[in-house]
PDB file of all heavy atoms in Angstrom:
ATOM      1  N   MET A  97     -19.232   3.079  35.220  1.00 81.00           N
ATOM      2  CA  MET A  97     -20.611   2.464  35.097  1.00 81.00           C
ATOM      3  C   MET A  97     -20.835   1.348  35.927  1.00 81.00           C
ATOM      4  O   MET A  97     -19.848   0.521  36.269  1.00 81.00           O
ATOM      5  CB  MET A  97     -20.781   2.222  33.600  1.00 81.00           C
ATOM      6  CG  MET A  97     -20.659   3.256  32.685  1.00 81.00           C
ATOM      7  SD  MET A  97     -21.918   4.604  32.985  1.00 81.00           S
ATOM      8  CE  MET A  97     -23.471   3.686  32.611  1.00 81.00           C
ATOM      9  N   TYR A  98     -21.990   1.005  36.248  1.00 78.00           N
ATOM     10  CA  TYR A  98     -22.436  -0.079  36.915  1.00 78.00           C
ATOM     11  C   TYR A  98     -23.623  -0.736  35.981  1.00 78.00           C
ATOM     12  O   TYR A  98     -24.626  -0.184  35.596  1.00 78.00           O
ATOM     13  CB  TYR A  98     -23.002   0.218  38.377  1.00 78.00           C
ATOM     14  CG  TYR A  98     -23.505  -1.140  39.001  1.00 78.00           C
ATOM     15  CD1 TYR A  98     -22.596  -1.798  39.675  1.00 78.00           C
ATOM     16  CD2 TYR A  98     -24.802  -1.487  38.994  1.00 78.00           C
ATOM     17  CE1 TYR A  98     -22.979  -3.036  40.287  1.00 78.00           C
ATOM     18  CE2 TYR A  98     -25.271  -2.626  39.587  1.00 78.00           C
ATOM     19  CZ  TYR A  98     -24.286  -3.460  40.157  1.00 78.00           C
ATOM     20  OH  TYR A  98     -24.684  -4.681  40.870  1.00 78.00           O
ATOM     21  N   PRO A  99     -23.430  -2.153  35.671  1.00 75.00           N
ATOM     22  CA  PRO A  99     -22.439  -2.904  36.124  1.00 75.00           C
ATOM     23  C   PRO A  99     -21.058  -2.636  35.386  1.00 75.00           C
ATOM     24  O   PRO A  99     -21.121  -1.973  34.375  1.00 75.00           O
ATOM     25  CB  PRO A  99     -22.868  -4.411  35.769  1.00 75.00           C
ATOM     26  CG  PRO A  99     -23.910  -4.162  34.547  1.00 75.00           C
ATOM     27  CD  PRO A  99     -24.441  -2.753  34.952  1.00 75.00           C
ATOM     28  N   SER A 100     -20.042  -3.121  35.817  1.00 76.00           N
ATOM     29  CA  SER A 100     -18.661  -2.715  35.381  1.00 76.00           C
ATOM     30  C   SER A 100     -18.397  -3.335  33.824  1.00 76.00           C
ATOM     31  O   SER A 100     -17.531  -2.751  33.205  1.00 76.00           O
ATOM     32  CB  SER A 100     -17.632  -3.390  36.252  1.00 76.00           C
ATOM     33  OG  SER A 100     -17.699  -4.711  36.336  1.00 76.00           O
ATOM     34  N   ARG A 101     -19.199  -4.246  33.419  1.00 73.00           N
ATOM     35  CA  ARG A 101     -19.008  -4.643  31.957  1.00 73.00           C
ATOM     36  C   ARG A 101     -19.458  -3.612  30.974  1.00 73.00           C
ATOM     37  O   ARG A 101     -19.099  -3.741  29.695  1.00 73.00           O
ATOM     38  CB  ARG A 101     -19.880  -5.901  31.749  1.00 73.00           C
ATOM     39  CG  ARG A 101     -21.368  -5.811  31.842  1.00 73.00           C
ATOM     40  CD  ARG A 101     -22.079  -7.111  31.481  1.00 73.00           C
ATOM     41  NE  ARG A 101     -23.489  -6.916  31.357  1.00 73.00           N
ATOM     42  CZ  ARG A 101     -24.378  -7.106  32.435  1.00 73.00           C
ATOM     43  NH1 ARG A 101     -23.718  -7.470  33.543  1.00 73.00           N
ATOM     44  NH2 ARG A 101     -25.593  -6.979  32.388  1.00 73.00           N
ATOM     45  N   VAL A 102     -20.120  -2.658  31.490  1.00 75.00           N
ATOM     46  CA  VAL A 102     -20.545  -1.626  30.589  1.00 75.00           C
ATOM     47  C   VAL A 102     -19.338  -0.699  30.137  1.00 75.00           C
ATOM     48  O   VAL A 102     -18.715  -0.237  31.020  1.00 75.00           O
ATOM     49  CB  VAL A 102     -21.561  -0.533  31.066  1.00 75.00           C
ATOM     50  CG1 VAL A 102     -21.862   0.591  30.212  1.00 75.00           C
ATOM     51  CG2 VAL A 102     -22.900  -1.390  31.497  1.00 75.00           C
ATOM     52  N   PRO A 103     -18.926  -0.731  28.912  1.00 80.00           N
ATOM     53  CA  PRO A 103     -17.681  -0.062  28.514  1.00 80.00           C
ATOM     54  C   PRO A 103     -17.687   1.523  28.449  1.00 80.00           C
ATOM     55  O   PRO A 103     -18.721   2.002  28.276  1.00 80.00           O
ATOM     56  CB  PRO A 103     -17.364  -0.597  27.105  1.00 80.00           C
ATOM     57  CG  PRO A 103     -18.762  -0.732  26.588  1.00 80.00           C
ATOM     58  CD  PRO A 103     -19.605  -1.190  27.743  1.00 80.00           C
ATOM     59  N   VAL A 104     -16.545   2.019  28.811  1.00 87.00           N
ATOM     60  CA  VAL A 104     -16.366   3.402  28.798  1.00 87.00           C
ATOM     61  C   VAL A 104     -15.712   3.564  27.427  1.00 87.00           C
ATOM     62  O   VAL A 104     -14.716   2.980  27.019  1.00 87.00           O
ATOM     63  CB  VAL A 104     -15.530   4.093  29.810  1.00 87.00           C
ATOM     64  CG1 VAL A 104     -15.025   5.381  29.476  1.00 87.00           C
ATOM     65  CG2 VAL A 104     -16.188   3.953  31.147  1.00 87.00           C
ATOM     66  N   GLU A 105     -16.358   4.382  26.593  1.00 93.00           N
ATOM     67  CA  GLU A 105     -15.811   4.602  25.150  1.00 93.00           C
ATOM     68  C   GLU A 105     -15.426   6.096  25.125  1.00 93.00           C
ATOM     69  O   GLU A 105     -16.260   7.008  25.028  1.00 93.00           O
ATOM     70  CB  GLU A 105     -16.840   4.263  24.213  1.00 93.00           C
ATOM     71  CG  GLU A 105     -17.248   2.804  24.115  1.00 93.00           C
ATOM     72  CD  GLU A 105     -18.301   2.600  23.042  1.00 93.00           C
ATOM     73  OE1 GLU A 105     -17.973   2.536  21.878  1.00 93.00           O
ATOM     74  OE2 GLU A 105     -19.458   2.299  23.464  1.00 93.00           O
TER      75      GLU A 105
END
Side-chain angles (χ1 to χ4, degrees):
M97 296 296 294
Y98 180 83
S100 59
R101 68 174 181 272
V102 177
V104 169
E105 296 180 72

